[in-house]
Amino acid sequence: MAVREAGSTWRGDADGTDRLLQELRSRWRRASFAAGWRFPSDWGVPEVDDVCQTVVAGADLPAALGGLGRARARTGAGLDETLADLAALHAVLEEPEAVLPNPDAVPSSLLRATALAWADAALGELSAVAATENLTGLATPEYLRVRIGEVYRAGRRAGFSPADRFVLLVVAVDLSRTAGWPRLMAMALVGDVLREVFDGGESLAVLGPSVAAVLAERGRGLAERAARTRKLIAERFGVDSALRSTRGPDIRIERLPCSEEAAQATVDRLARA
């Protein structure tokens, strides 16, 4: 399946188009994992579906890849990993059964569009330190890192260890088999539940396409609130037919490490879990 020129489209009914989209997405995913994509749960961002739709419609692929590059940077994927994913896409477009992508075969126009967009977003994240993520209404990972730094500085000044007082409550949802709007809706529902349950000044942040976290004090009914969070998310998923088959969230409590550097590394790890 070669990359189509703008204006060239597949002919067929809606069912046929849906099948093409699903097949392309599945082949691309397999090839990307074979190329070394490290975290399966964060591969299927909405921009993946945008790229697939662009290919099937024969529209402007570099423009869609720009959106994908920015999304990859925002979710923490490195440039090497992002370009390997692009090579996987190109490989299956050229040869549907390809499983071993060749990065050197990707056209320069596609490489340029993806790399420049990735760099744009990566540099933008350096200056966006206190923003709110629009979809979920939760804080960005950058803001959570700022709050963690404040907690450790307060601990040094007051003579207490944040590891003894604070934890990260992590909420992870398996969205690896969910695509498009339902995937977005799932995280929006997670954000709604977290704001409802943790309404006492805790820091709530989205860390990745399927992971959110709460910086909270130990005790204060934390176990009960974690259980309520799990129950409410499962109930709200159950109401939506597109999410009904999605498993309930994985909720766990991570104690903060002794050092701020280790705590920041923990945030990075959780964002890619």
Side-chain angles (χ1 to χ4, degrees):
M1 187 192 304
V3 178
R4 282 165 160 39
E5 298 292 336
S8 172
T9 60
W10 270 281
R11 301 295 180 183
D13 56 19
D15 290 340
T17 299
D18 288 344
R19 178 179 55 79
L20 287 170
L21 288 170
Q22 292 168 5
E23 290 176 353
L24 173 57
R25 190 180 193 277
S26 178
R27 289 196 301 269
W28 180 8
R29 187 173 187 269
R30 286 197 303 270
S32 188
F33 290 178
W37 189 269
R38 294 174 295 167
F39 300 92
S41 65
D42 70 2
W43 182 83
V45 294
E47 288 77 6
V48 163
D49 297 317
D50 293 343
V51 170
C52 291
Q53 290 167 357
T54 298
V55 169
V56 170
D60 184 9
L61 186 55
L65 290 174
L68 180 66
R70 285 186 288 273
R72 294 302 190 208
R74 287 194 297 267
T75 58
L79 182 57
D80 284 350
E81 191 172 19
T82 299
L83 294 182
D85 180 52
L86 172 63
L89 170 65
H90 180 260
V92 299
L93 291 176
E94 291 297 312
E95 174 52 59
E97 301 307 318
V99 292
L100 293 176
N102 177 11
D104 295 330
V106 181
S108 60
S109 61
L110 305 187
L111 285 171
R112 178 180 175 81
T114 307
L116 287 179
W118 182 94
D120 234 11
L123 290 174
E125 292 292 345
L126 296 177
S127 60
V129 295
T132 298
E133 199 272 335
N134 291 331
L135 174 68
T136 62
L138 304 181
T140 63
E142 290 68 35
Y143 179 76
L144 181 61
R145 292 187 181 97
V146 170
R147 282 291 298 121
I148 286 174
E150 291 171 345
V151 165
Y152 278 85
R153 288 193 295 277
R156 287 192 292 270
R157 186 180 184 88
F160 70 85
S161 171
D164 295 332
R165 292 197 184 183
F166 291 90
V167 298
L168 285 171
L169 182 137
V170 183
V171 180
V173 183
D174 183 1
L175 299 177
S176 59
R177 298 187 180 279
T178 305
W181 176 247
R183 186 183 182 92
L184 299 177
M185 180 55 65
M187 290 308 293
L189 291 174
V190 169
D192 286 344
V193 169
L194 289 179
R195 287 195 303 275
E196 177 179 335
V197 176
F198 294 91
D199 58 354
E202 298 86 357
S203 296
L204 318 176
V206 59
L207 300 186
S210 58
V211 183
V214 179
L215 176 63
E217 291 187 53
R218 300 177 65 186
R220 299 182 61 186
L222 186 60
E224 291 80 4
R225 287 192 288 172
R228 186 180 174 214
T229 297
R230 179 182 289 107
K231 178 175 180 291
L232 288 177
I233 291 175
E235 287 178 352
R236 294 184 189 183
F237 281 10
V239 171
D240 191 318
S241 60
L243 296 173
R244 200 167 292 148
S245 61
T246 303
R247 290 190 306 174
D250 173 27
I251 298 181
R252 63 187 186 278
I253 293 175
E254 295 250 355
R255 183 174 174 177
L256 288 185
C258 293
S259 72
E260 179 182 348
E261 292 76 11
Q264 301 292 2
T266 297
V267 172
D268 292 337
R269 172 175 58 81
L270 293 174
R272 304 302 307 280

